[in-house]
Amino acid sequence: MTDSGLAPLPAADRPEAAARLRDALLAASFTADGLLELLGAPAYAALARSETVPALRATRGDTPLETLVRLFLLQQPVAHARVAAVLPVEEAVEAGWLVRVGGDELAATVDVRPYGGPGGEDWFIVSDLGCAVGGAGGIGQHAEGVVLGVGGASTTLAGITVRTPVAAALDLGTGSGIQALHASRHATRVTATDLNPRALHITALTLALSGAPAAELREGSLFEPVRDDEKFDLIVSNPPFVISPGARLTYRDGGMGGDDLCRSLVQQAGERLNEGGFAQFLANWQHVAGEDWQDRLRSWVPRGCDAWIVQREVQDVTQYAELWLRDAGDHRGDPAEYQARYDAWLDEFEARKVKAVGFGWITLRRTGAAEPSITLEEWPHPVEQPLGDTIRAHFERLDYLREHDDAALLTHHFRLVGEVVQEQVGLPGAEDPEHVVLRQHRGMRRATKVDTVGAGFAGVCDGTLSAGRILDAIAQLMGEDSVRLRDQTPAQIRLLVEQGFLEPMG
């Protein structure tokens, strides 16, 4: 064990050992698909909840895949002979991936979890023992430098990230390296930073074992390791955003008061972006008594950046404190100590007049527009991941709407996007609906109310006729004044374009 109480890590400077280990894992079908086939859906899903009993029951045989699951996922010692039949044992021991235990058994020094890439890649996420799933479940209270694996926050950020080819990408607070791994698919150069040197070491292992190009790894907090003259086309961060009293756990507590860490991260990102570049974060923010949360977040947006901020969830301070106390395993310890820590959280919130905490996504895009756009919304409803293309398209639509006034809008052609349905809402038997709702079944899965003209307009948008000609035809059918419709409807068209129901053609 190291001074921190954590196990020694495999060598990060042995790429040949990682490559041969990768080959052996793949040869045994130690992949996301292979696991699902071996374990079955219930046991596979249980692993994502850190429940190992179903997987233990499913791996009582002696096949190569069962051996690897027990070794790397379930942290069970395995007989030397069984491991030697699957892996290059001596090299794996020498490089530090395995250690000898007991009489004649081997054990893994790290969690290795298969992870399917978006293009069908067979990747592997390395993390500390017992921490393959994002959420330390109590391990973190004994080891401050613990490095977690893939959790819901990690996959959410990976799913919302805009994936266009870029020259330079920056992963701030890389942890186990999942964001850097994704960025390696479409960025020529990837830089990954973390305050925890152990995280940088594990990121190097994740990339090597996944067969991905190495990243430039830098130790330090937030933008500290980044040179003043460096700019990036993509910045991503799943930072230690938990709003807590103190910085007890490195993997989640930022060490700044309140939501200052997230605010600083967002405010400093603008000057680090190239024109057109994106910065995307997960964040928590305070809901302070007497203050609108949207005004608070609006003040975070740096000059020269468009922003789209989506609040996905809000918890009152008691729910929030309980969530993170349980994450650290404090609820399983001494009741008096748990109560004292709970009190400390509530004291901190009371002192800051915080009533609730919001969680969501923040996306910035560097723009040369004279008046950048800031969109803030609350959207707790289900969405369809990945959302990277949806987010990119949102900013492209902003550009379009900025560049076209109402008169220009009426000369353009539009197309209703796929999988939009119309719902008529009203009392049973009523001759006319009270209102009409358009609903998306892809992306953000939005629903928006429209009037009869808006519904009719959207329904015939197939790119054939200009918006003005469609409105003229609707006016003739309804016996309305076409000039009045041309004057009143552009606002509704803008909303439908902004929310992604209509797509400008050409």
Side-chain angles (χ1 to χ4, degrees), residues 240-256 261 324 345:
F241 54 66
V242 177
I243 300 171
S244 61
R248 186 161 61 104
L249 303 177
T250 304
Y251 71 87
R252 68 171 205 192
D253 301 326
M256 296 186 185
L261 183 139
W324 294 110
W345 282 68

Side-chain angles (χ1 to χ4, degrees), residues 275 298 301-308 363-376 394-395 398-399 402:
E275 187 74 17
R298 192 173 282 108
V301 178
R303 295 180 61 184
C305 288
D306 290 326
W308 184 15
T363 299
L364 307 176
R365 185 190 60 165
R366 189 77 188 175
T367 179
E371 296 184 14
S373 168
I374 301 177
T375 302
L376 299 103
H394 166 86
F395 288 94
L398 285 183
D399 287 341
R402 265 196 296 244

Side-chain angles (χ1 to χ4, degrees), residues 208-287:
L209 197 59
S210 297
E216 184 176 351
L217 306 176
R218 302 183 194 174
E219 182 179 343
S221 177
L222 302 181
F223 287 102
E224 286 177 4
V226 179
R227 297 191 305 271
D228 291 341
D229 62 343
E230 279 187 290
K231 292 185 182 296
F232 300 87
D233 306 297
L234 175 66
I235 299 172
V236 292
S237 184
N238 175 21
F241 54 66
V242 177
I243 300 171
S244 61
R248 186 161 61 104
L249 303 177
T250 304
Y251 71 87
R252 68 171 205 192
D253 301 326
M256 296 186 185
D259 52 15
D260 284 353
L261 183 139
C262 291
R263 175 185 55 79
S264 298
L265 186 62
V266 174
Q267 288 180 337
Q268 294 174 29
E271 62 187 8
R272 305 292 186 179
L273 285 174
N274 287 318
E275 187 74 17
F278 286 91
Q280 298 185 265
F281 315 101
L282 301 187
N284 275 176
W285 44 80
Q286 298 173 149
H287 284 232

Side-chain angles (χ1 to χ4, degrees), residues 147-493:
V147 179
L148 305 188
V150 179
S154 303
T155 55
T156 294
L157 179 59
I160 68 172
T161 299
V162 175
R163 302 292 177 193
T164 53
V166 295
L170 173 64
D171 176 14
L172 283 178
T174 186
S176 59
I178 179 175
Q179 309 306 330
L181 183 58
H182 276 275
S184 71
R185 295 183 69 246
H186 62 101
T188 303
R189 176 172 60 89
V190 177
T191 302
T193 73
D194 205 289
L195 181 63
N196 182 2
R198 189 175 181 87
L200 297 176
H201 191 135
I202 284 181
T203 290
L205 298 175
T206 290
L207 294 172
L209 197 59
S210 297
E216 184 176 351
L217 306 176
R218 302 183 194 174
E219 182 179 343
S221 177
L222 302 181
F223 287 102
E224 286 177 4
V226 179
R227 297 191 305 271
D228 291 341
D229 62 343
E230 279 187 290
K231 292 185 182 296
F232 300 87
D233 306 297
L234 175 66
I235 299 172
V236 292
S237 184
N238 175 21
F241 54 66
V242 177
I243 300 171
S244 61
R248 186 161 61 104
L249 303 177
T250 304
Y251 71 87
R252 68 171 205 192
D253 301 326
M256 296 186 185
D259 52 15
D260 284 353
L261 183 139
C262 291
R263 175 185 55 79
S264 298
L265 186 62
V266 174
Q267 288 180 337
Q268 294 174 29
E271 62 187 8
R272 305 292 186 179
L273 285 174
N274 287 318
E275 187 74 17
F278 286 91
Q280 298 185 265
F281 315 101
L282 301 187
N284 275 176
W285 44 80
Q286 298 173 149
H287 284 232
V288 178
E291 177 185 77
D292 187 296
W293 73 269
Q294 293 195 1
D295 291 340
R296 184 180 192 84
L297 271 293
R298 192 173 282 108
S299 72
W300 291 11
V301 178
R303 295 180 61 184
C305 288
D306 290 326
W308 184 15
I309 300 173
V310 181
Q311 181 166 270
R312 294 287 289 157
E313 184 180 3
V314 180
Q315 290 184 314
D316 67 51
V317 292
T318 59
Q319 292 174 308
Y320 188 79
E322 290 163 14
L323 169 67
W324 294 110
L325 287 168
R326 287 179 175 274
D327 172 81
D330 293 327
H331 62 300
R332 294 198 294 264
D334 178 59
E337 186 176 352
Y338 173 76
Q339 183 175 341
R341 283 183 169 158
Y342 200 153
D343 265 332
W345 282 68
L346 297 186
D347 285 344
E348 178 81 4
F349 287 132
E350 185 176 335
R352 294 179 175 276
K353 300 181 179 180
V354 176
K355 302 300 183 183
V357 177
F359 166 79
W361 318 326
I362 298 176
T363 299
L364 307 176
R365 185 190 60 165
R366 189 77 188 175
T367 179
E371 296 184 14
S373 168
I374 301 177
T375 302
L376 299 103
E377 61 178 321
E378 188 160 8
W379 193 254
H381 312 294
V383 298
E384 182 190 48
Q385 286 274 36
L387 278 168
D389 286 345
T390 298
I391 290 175
R392 175 187 49 76
H394 166 86
F395 288 94
E396 291 176 350
R397 293 193 300 270
L398 285 183
D399 287 341
Y400 173 84
L401 293 172
R402 265 196 296 244
E403 294 165 1
H404 295 84
D405 60 17
D406 288 354
L409 210 64
L410 293 176
T411 67
H412 277 236
H413 297 231
F414 299 91
R415 181 180 65 86
L416 185 68
V417 301
E419 297 192 42
V420 172
V421 298
Q422 176 178 303
E423 301 172 359
Q424 297 189 3
V425 181
L427 294 173
E431 184 174 345
D432 296 312
E434 293 178 14
H435 57 264
V436 177
V437 174
L438 299 182
R439 187 179 301 277
Q440 301 168 351
H441 284 273
R442 305 298 300 272
M444 291 292 286
R445 294 178 173 167
R446 295 187 183 280
T448 191
K449 290 182 183 179
V450 291
D451 61 19
T452 305
V453 173
F457 179 87
V460 297
C461 278
D462 60 2
T464 304
L465 300 175
S466 69
R469 291 192 61 185
I470 292 174
L471 289 179
D472 291 343
I474 291 174
Q476 186 173 0
L477 284 172
M478 298 177 63
E480 295 278 354
D481 181 1
S482 62
V483 175
R484 186 181 67 83
L485 283 190
R486 279 175 170 260
D487 184 55
Q488 293 181 348
T489 309
Q492 198 167 186
I493 297 174

